[in-house]
Structure formats: C-alpha cells, structure tokens
Amino acid sequence: ITFRFDRARSGNTFDAHRALHLARERGLQGAVKERLMRAYFTEGEPIGDPKALARLSAEAGLDAAAVRELLDGDAYADAVRADEDEARRHGIHAVPFLVIADTYALTGAQPVETMHEALMQAWAEAPERETPAGAACGPDGCA
C-alpha cells in the first residue's frame, strides 16, 4: 500500500468494518480489506460514504446489493463494537496500526525505514518457514 496521507479523507469507517465482516462470511475479507485500504490510503476515496463503500466492495468481488442491504440495517454492528473494545484493551488508538508477527506494533504513520526495520527484525527472530511444497522462504522470497 502506498500511503498518501495528503489524499486520505477522514471519516467514519464503522460501516466499512461491517462490510469487512460480511466479506469474511463470504470468503472475501482479504480482497475487500485490500481494496478498501488502497482506496483510503492511496486513492483518497471516502470509504465512509455508502455509495463508495458498495462500489469498492463490489470491485473486490463482494455483491454491491448485499453491501447496500447491510448498510440499510445494523448487521455486524455488535461484532464491530466488540472489535473496537478489543482494540482499546490492546492500547490501539491510531490508524494505521500494524502488528508484525504478534510481537511488534507500529502505530500511526511511520517512515518506510521504520517499517522495514520492524519487518526485518521480526523475520530474523521468526522460526524457519516452509512453503506447502517444502521450499524454504527467506527475506528475498521462496526458493
């Protein structure tokens, strides 16, 4: 993700989080999350706007009509509030908030160098990983 804070529009992301819960239920959470993050952080899309949210979710494979129906009700509102409570318990108070290897946390906008350093530190401390085919992976990819 290219962070373009000069383009990002602030707004309420509660409904976007509800859409992510719907996407998870339909096996599309990763794709929808990536699309919404790129839209928000890179493209300056207003992901709190219902029309934009439905369009962006559809671009990632989620049915736009299902998103509009979601937005007309309160589905997943309790789940999002539970997520917010959990974030508060973990001391999360800014976005972006990145957790790396369940060990390192980066809060707020960070320079690329800081993010790279945290990723490399986590990689150095991680146990050896293998792909399903058995090839070893390293910082430069999998062999």
Side-chain angles (χ1 to χ4, degrees):
I1 295 173
T2 301
F3 291 98
R4 291 287 313 268
F5 293 107
D6 60 315
R7 296 176 116 185
R9 297 184 190 184
S10 63
N12 190 323
T13 61
F14 189 83
D15 285 336
H17 285 93
R18 292 195 310 132
L20 287 169
H21 277 273
L22 174 66
R24 180 176 59 199
E25 183 178 279
R26 302 205 176 167
L28 294 166
Q29 185 179 38
V32 173
K33 178 178 67 172
E34 288 299 318
R35 182 63 190 110
L36 294 179
M37 300 227 354
R38 187 174 74 245
Y40 179 80
F41 287 114
T42 305
E43 300 165 3
E45 290 271 9
I47 65 170
D49 174 73
K51 289 179 183 175
L53 182 55
R55 176 179 48 80
L56 294 165
S57 297
E59 288 175 12
L62 195 58
D63 181 59
V67 176
R68 287 190 295 273
E69 182 179 331
L70 168 87
L71 297 174
D72 287 339
D74 64 353
Y76 304 108
D78 289 342
V80 173
R81 286 187 187 97
D83 292 343
E84 291 172 336
D85 288 343
E86 182 178 358
R88 276 190 290 279
R89 284 194 305 275
H90 289 292
I92 299 171
H93 59 277
V95 294
F97 189 92
L98 307 172
V99 177
I100 303 167
D102 291 325
T103 302
Y104 296 97
L106 296 174
T107 185
Q110 296 290 329
V112 170
E113 297 79 17
T114 301
M115 295 176 81
H116 182 262
E117 183 179 319
L119 289 166
M120 295 307 292
Q121 183 67 35
W123 184 267
E125 295 174 4
E128 185 175 327
R129 291 173 173 73
E130 292 187 11
T131 65
C137 295
D140 297 322
C142 298

